[in-house]
Amino acid sequence: MNDEGRQALDDIEAAWNEAPAAWNPEALAAVYADDALLFGVRPGHAVGATAIRDYFASYMGVILAGTMRLVDQQILSLAPGVFLAQGFVDFAFVLSGNQSTKSFLRTTLVV
């Protein structure tokens, strides 16, 4: 496994988990590059920092907090300091109304 790529994924996971401790769309969007592309669970996709922030903001009042864990990531070096990672993400969310939900989804990340 690529140590530099693994560290990059660990940093992303840590930053992502810090941001939704009290659902924070600004902090979540800051985890992504300015020109990132996000395929969320809603139809369509979000392109760029503003659209990604708006995607996360659309869950305000619905999601109160969340965690994510990157699982079984296969990491390839594309260029110096650039990595492709594919695997899964395990999400757990605290919802309004004293509800919770989990999702286990496929991931493709370029970092």
Side-chain angles (χ1 to χ4, degrees), residues 38-64:
L38 172 68
F39 287 93
V41 296
R42 293 186 170 171
H45 54 278
V47 180
T50 300
I52 291 171
R53 184 198 64 232
D54 291 348
Y55 173 82
F56 289 120
S58 74
Y59 288 99
M60 289 295 294
V62 176
I63 298 176
L64 304 179

Side-chain angles (χ1 to χ4, degrees), residues 60-111:
M60 289 295 294
V62 176
I63 298 176
L64 304 179
T67 60
M68 68 89 93
R69 187 173 58 92
L70 294 169
V71 180
D72 296 330
Q73 296 292 314
Q74 301 301 311
I75 304 168
L76 299 172
S77 179
L78 299 178
V82 180
F83 305 95
L84 172 69
Q86 286 193 309
F88 300 93
V89 63
D90 190 7
F91 286 113
F93 297 105
V94 176
L95 307 176
S96 63
N98 204 24
Q99 300 288 318
S100 64
T101 188
K102 293 185 175 193
S103 297
F104 194 77
L105 306 168
R106 178 168 295 283
T107 61
T108 298
L109 304 168
V110 178
V111 296

